[in-house]
Structures are given as structure tokens and as C-alpha cells.
Amino acid sequence: MLDDLKVRKRIIFLFLTFIFLLLVLEVRLYAIMVIKSDFAKEAMDEQTYRSIVYYDGFELKGDIYDANMRKLTNNGIEYKAIILPSAVIKHITSNNSTFENLLRLICDYDKLDYYDMLTKISKEAAGYDQAVVVGINDRIKDEIESSNITGIYVKSGIKKFADDIGASILSNFLSNRMNGEYIKYDDSIDMKIFNSLARHVKKIYKVPLDGRGMLMPGMEPIDETVEESVGGPVGNVMLTLDYNIQKAAEDALHEKSDKNCAATVMNIRNGEVLAMATKDENGWERNMVTYVNDNSAYNPGSLFKIIVLAAALEKNKVGLETSFFCSGVDSETGIHCFNTSGHGMIGLEDAFANSCNVYFINLARKVGPKAIMDMAQKFGFGKKALNFSKESAGMVYRKSEDIEYDIGNIAIGQKDIMVTPLQVCSMISSIANNGMRNKPHILKRIFGDDGTVYEKHADESKSIISPETSEIIQKLMTEVVKRGTGQKASLYCGSAGKTGT
Ligand SMILES: [Zn+2]
């Protein structure tokens, strides 16, 4: 009896143990199948997909427009070829001529050596199998797509700039940032435009592979765009530039044989920059480097005589009857007049028309350097005109600086007096606008795709010289074009002008 009970107890115990073990197994299976399924799937994905980053950089999320809503960006599509070494190596070993022709086309287009490319692919196929990503054109794209060669893929759709004026604008004030070279956050106009337009993305192409790491036929690759960072809100930018005027300005420079020159067109009524074209010392055109480069400031030369004159007129230190004697050289500074034999007794009109250095040095002495420098700053000299991050501010003597003024060189705009083409254009605009200075600007507004305006330029205008003073300068400048040193010049903010170096 007792033994019988013992045996029964043991059976029950064994039975319970068995049930318990079964339960444990069930739970474990459940855990694997349900709870851990995400991990299992991921492990599978890693085995069956190869992720290739084929673009890591900035792309435009908005567009740039000119003042008439003409689109300057995203007018083109760019193509890239993605070559997967482990997948194409069989074409190389089997001397597949279609593949060889394609690879030669790609190498020619990218100016790469064909045999270097073969070596690279073979090395990668045997090692890390890193994909080779190269730029291609429409023709090569078509060739690749019609060839049906496995292991080469075409990717398109990276937004880029229009291949003309839009490109010249952007390549000069945005591309440094687009290339990630000068990403430092500041309050510059290019930073503002960049933040509205650009976002940092990684474009990933996922190629399906089988268990042995070979291409899976019949399975569609997956294209992914991973947003790395977004600047401000998605914005489109409207500039004050006018495509047609910009083009006309560039064409005008193109026709001139001169190098190192600039054409700036500004609306004198509101300070909008309509065009800015340059030709540098190498004769390179269709760029705006001069405007956005911190090295681009020049001695204004005789153009600065306008500032001396404005200061003198405002301080009542000069009239049309004021005369000085020009012997050909200023005895105190030793600075010569262009007319080395001297102009003799000369009045304001003739001195301005003939750009007499001796007259203006004497006038500058009478006005005093401080009044001239104050006037220069009122006209915007010594300060960035458009606030590009790398734009030059030029140079004038600052009020606070305890320095010995070099009156001779101030009077004739040499040595430490440095200006930019935009500052000069702004000066002439203020005079043409009867002494009202409108702050130069290039950004009209930033707006969303739905028309929401995020930012709008607010005009800033200020009277800097009296209408009487501007009228006299306007008259003298017109005379320069008519009969003086500026007879050849006509392309400088309208027809009134003043020659300078
Ligand atoms: Zn003279």
C-alpha cells in the first residue's frame, strides 16, 4: 500500500515535471516567434540586402526664383551609376563585351583610367565589396538601362542648379555651403538662403541578395532617402535679380575686351540689385565672385572724388566758383596730377570733368578728412553692401581710429581707401535718387510652396545728402560723360558717370 502510494506520487511528479518542461518550451518558442521577431527579421534583412550610400550631401528642398518668378534652380536632372563589384566581376572574368563597352563609356565620361577601374572593381569584389558610384550623362544612362547588365544601376533625381545664370549665382554664393565647406552659422544672407533651401540627405540604394551574397533575380531594389538635417522651414527664395538684365549685363561684359571689370544694375528707387556680373583678372565671366569674395575690394581712384565733393558741398566749403591752382603736383604730398604740366587756375566743373588731383587734394584739405570719412560711411563704404558671409566690406578710415589721415590718398581714393563694385553702384544710385539712399539688397522674399511668406524684405531708405547737393553732383557727372574723362564709359549704373581705376 505504502509502496503503491510512493510510486503514484512519483508518477504525478514526473508528469508535472513533463508538463512544466513543455510549458517552458512553449514560452521559449513563443518568445522567439513573436517577441523577438523584429530582431530575427532585421538579421534576415542584413543578409539579403546590400545598402549602398550613393549620395551624402545637400539637396535643395525649395527653389530660387528671379524677380519675375523665373525659376533658376532644379531645371536639370543628374544621373549616377552604381556598380556593385561582387555582381559585375563575372562580366570581367568572362570578357563580356557589352559590360566592357559600358565601363569604358563611364570611364571616359568621368576621365578615369579604364584599367585602374578594373583593378578597383576586382579588389573590392574580393574584399569589402564597396559599391563604385560615378556620375553619368543621359546617353550612358540609356546605354546602361538597355543593356540589361546585372550589377550596374542608374540613379537619378538629385536636384541641381540650372546650367546657366542660376548656376552662376548659386555656385558663387551657395555652393561653398552646399559642399559643406563653410558651414558655420552666422547671420549672413547666404546662410539665410541656404537654410531655407537646403537639407542634408543620405540617399541609399538597397540591393536584394541571396544567402550566398549573390544578386536575387526578380526582386526589386529599394531606394531610400534619409534626412540627416533640415535647416529652417521649407522655403523658396525670390531674389531681386532679373534674369534678362543679368544676362544682358553678362553679355555686355563678354563683348568688352577689358578684364577685371564689373557691371552692377540697381533699382535706385528701392535698392534692389537687378544684376551683378563680373569678369575677373583672368577674363573669366558669368560669375559673381567679385561680389561675394572677401578679397574683392579695389581702390576707387577718382570715383572717390564724388565723396570729397559731397562732403565739401554739404559743409558749404565749395561752390561752382571755387578755384585752385594746379601746377601739376601737390607740393605737400608730392602727388601728381594726371596732367603733369598742370591745369593752372581751375574751377570745380573743369576740375571734376578732367579729374584734377591737385584740385581735389586742396578741396579735401579744406573739408577735413573726418568729414570725408563720415560722408563715405553715410554712403555705405566700409560696410558689406549685401551681407554675404565672404563679401568684402571694403575699407575706409574709422572715426574712432586715432590715426594720421593721409589726406592726399583720401582725396584721390588710393592706398587705404578700398571699395566694392556694389558700394560704388549704391553711391551712384543714392546720388541719382536725389540723396535718398536705399539699402542695397538681393533677397526679396522667402515663401513656402503654399504661398506662405516667411520673410519679406523691408525697404530701408535714408536721406544722406540734400537734393541740392545731389543735383550739383548729377550735373557734374553728366558733364564727365559728355566732354570729360568718361567719354568711353557708359556702362556704370546709367549714363551719368565718373571714371575710376
Ligand atoms: Zn590738375
Side-chain angles (χ1 to χ4, degrees), residues 307-368:
I307 297 295
V308 177
L309 178 60
L313 287 164
E314 290 284 288
K315 296 256 172 201
N316 290 315
K317 300 279 187 189
V318 73
L320 288 175
E321 71 296 339
T322 310
S323 296
F324 290 104
F325 184 77
C326 169
S327 67
V329 62
D330 175 67
S331 52
E332 239 176 83
T333 58
I335 293 173
H336 284 266
C337 190
F338 300 113
N339 180 348
T340 46
S341 50
H343 286 107
M345 265 321 262
I346 187 167
L348 176 60
E349 258 177 280
D350 287 334
F352 192 83
N354 296 302
S355 208
C356 175
N357 283 348
V358 174
Y359 185 99
F360 276 89
I361 294 170
N362 277 297
L363 188 61
R365 269 196 201 105
K366 210 171 157 190
V367 183

Side-chain angles (χ1 to χ4, degrees), residues 54-343:
Y54 67 94
Y55 183 76
D56 182 0
F58 292 95
E59 69 171 15
L60 299 181
K61 58 188 176 185
D63 283 302
I64 297 191
Y65 295 87
D66 85 341
N68 304 310
M69 280 301 278
R70 184 182 179 133
K71 214 171 173 188
L72 301 175
T73 44
N74 296 331
N75 298 340
I77 299 172
E78 202 170 74
Y79 299 106
K80 279 179 193 288
I82 301 172
I83 304 169
L84 195 60
S86 62
V88 299
I89 194 74
K90 62 172 186 267
H91 306 312
I92 298 176
T93 50
S94 67
N95 289 319
N96 180 329
S97 62
T98 312
F99 176 77
E100 183 182 333
N101 289 339
L102 278 182
L103 198 62
R104 281 188 189 276
L105 272 178
I106 292 169
C107 289
D108 283 351
Y109 180 74
D110 285 281
K111 296 185 177 67
L112 302 167
D113 184 82
Y114 173 71
Y115 294 97
D116 285 353
M117 181 62 111
L118 281 187
T119 311
K120 191 177 176 180
I121 291 173
S122 309
K123 254 191 197 160
E124 284 296 337
Y128 293 108
D129 199 21
Q130 180 118 26
V132 178
V133 181
V134 281
I136 51 170
N137 60 10
D138 299 28
R139 198 189 125 219
I140 302 173
K141 169 198 162 263
D142 292 343
E143 294 268 351
I144 294 174
E145 283 173 349
S146 61
S147 73
N148 264 327
I149 286 273
T150 48
I152 305 189
Y153 311 93
V154 174
K155 293 312 304 162
S156 65
I158 294 168
K159 289 178 167 189
K160 68 166 192 176
F161 314 133
D163 210 14
D164 50 13
I165 284 165
S168 92
I169 296 164
L170 290 156
S171 62
N172 282 292
F173 66 72
L174 276 188
S175 71
N176 286 337
R177 292 198 190 269
M178 289 294 275
N179 294 334
E181 286 169 33
Y182 299 105
I183 306 287
K184 64 171 200 265
Y185 292 87
D186 51 39
D187 65 349
S188 68
I189 197 81
D190 38 325
M191 189 76 242
K192 193 175 275 181
I193 294 174
F194 178 80
N195 269 343
S196 308
L197 286 175
R199 60 175 189 165
H200 184 197
V201 293
K202 251 188 200 163
K203 288 188 177 272
I204 298 161
Y205 193 58
K206 291 170 93 179
V207 185
L209 301 175
D210 66 13
R212 293 169 301 141
M214 303 304 279
L215 287 183
M216 291 264 279
M219 270 183 79
E220 281 296 307
I222 302 168
D223 216 352
E224 265 183 11
T225 296
V226 181
E227 213 157 81
E228 297 277 300
S229 76
V230 193
V234 177
N236 301 288
V237 171
M238 188 185 199
L239 300 175
T240 61
L241 293 176
D242 182 303
Y243 180 92
N244 293 316
I245 299 175
Q246 175 70 29
K247 195 156 178 354
E250 290 182 4
D251 290 347
L253 288 189
H254 177 72
E255 278 155 29
K256 278 168 80 89
S257 56
D258 309 51
K259 287 171 182 176
N260 220 352
C261 50
T264 317
V265 184
M266 202 178 276
N267 183 339
I268 61 167
R269 303 275 171 239
N270 57 20
E272 286 180 353
V273 177
L274 305 177
M276 20 187 237
T278 66
K279 197 157 149 187
D280 67 11
E281 66 267 23
N282 301 311
W284 291 332
E285 300 165 33
R286 297 190 184 277
N287 62 57
M288 299 185 179
V289 163
T290 304
Y291 299 97
V292 294
N293 188 336
D294 49 9
N295 297 316
S296 295
Y298 310 88
N299 286 128
S302 290
L303 278 166
F304 208 67
K305 286 172 181 160
I306 293 171
I307 297 295
V308 177
L309 178 60
L313 287 164
E314 290 284 288
K315 296 256 172 201
N316 290 315
K317 300 279 187 189
V318 73
L320 288 175
E321 71 296 339
T322 310
S323 296
F324 290 104
F325 184 77
C326 169
S327 67
V329 62
D330 175 67
S331 52
E332 239 176 83
T333 58
I335 293 173
H336 284 266
C337 190
F338 300 113
N339 180 348
T340 46
S341 50
H343 286 107

Side-chain angles (χ1 to χ4, degrees), residues 266-272 425 428-430 432-433 436 438:
M266 202 178 276
N267 183 339
I268 61 167
R269 303 275 171 239
N270 57 20
E272 286 180 353
C425 192
I428 312 240
S429 298
S430 305
N433 197 33
M436 289 291 287
N438 290 302

